Amino acid sequence: GYNCANTYMLLCGILHHKLDGAMLCILLNHDNMEALTGDLLAPAKDHSNDNWDNVEKNVQNAFIDEIAPSCDIILRELSKRIVLTDVDITLLLQPLDFGLFKLIDMYEFLLRAIEEVQAGNRSPGVLKAIDYAVVSFCSRGNVLWDKAQTDKEHGQFYADSYELLNTVLQQKLRDIDYTK
């Protein structure tokens, strides 16, 4: 979450875009659910249909019930914002922000996976994960790009964000030595 939030802040600074506090909080907290469920990688989530959404909702409800009495509405709502489900995130963000959120999340995953390869981990699982993540990143980026083209007032930031993140990833992927 920290790395995703930092990426967003850097994009806002470089591209002279106003930082959105709600977006920043969501980026910071979006992986908190994994403290309760463990990390389920994108390919598994992508193929689970609505099953993963149900698991997250059940875990979130159990977490809230455990730490917040039913009469404490404020604590219950705050807890829900701390342990977000993927569905919550889609409801809290505008479509362009959601697209950027998904792009940044995959970008951060790719940076970590590239670091693994650079550290010497060239296992088939890591290399396959990079291949999947690159396709997912490009797909998410294309969706964001298309939506950005329809927003004349704010779309440029989102399109430029995709271009900037894509350029950085292309350079990092070129630097990977797959032969060792």
Side-chain angles (χ1 to χ4, degrees), residues 42 46 102-103 105-106 135-144:
D46 291 348
K102 295 298 281 182
L103 188 70
D105 194 31
M106 189 56 64
V135 171
S136 182
F137 177 85
C138 291
S139 175
R140 292 173 184 196
N142 290 333
V143 168
L144 181 62

Side-chain angles (χ1 to χ4, degrees), residues 127-159:
L127 297 177
K128 187 175 178 182
I130 288 175
D131 290 341
Y132 182 90
V134 166
V135 171
S136 182
F137 177 85
C138 291
S139 175
R140 292 173 184 196
N142 290 333
V143 168
L144 181 62
W145 177 269
D146 290 344
K147 286 182 180 175
Q149 302 311 306
T150 65
D151 187 330
K152 300 300 179 201
E153 186 177 347
H154 302 290
Q156 193 64 49
F157 167 70
Y158 299 92

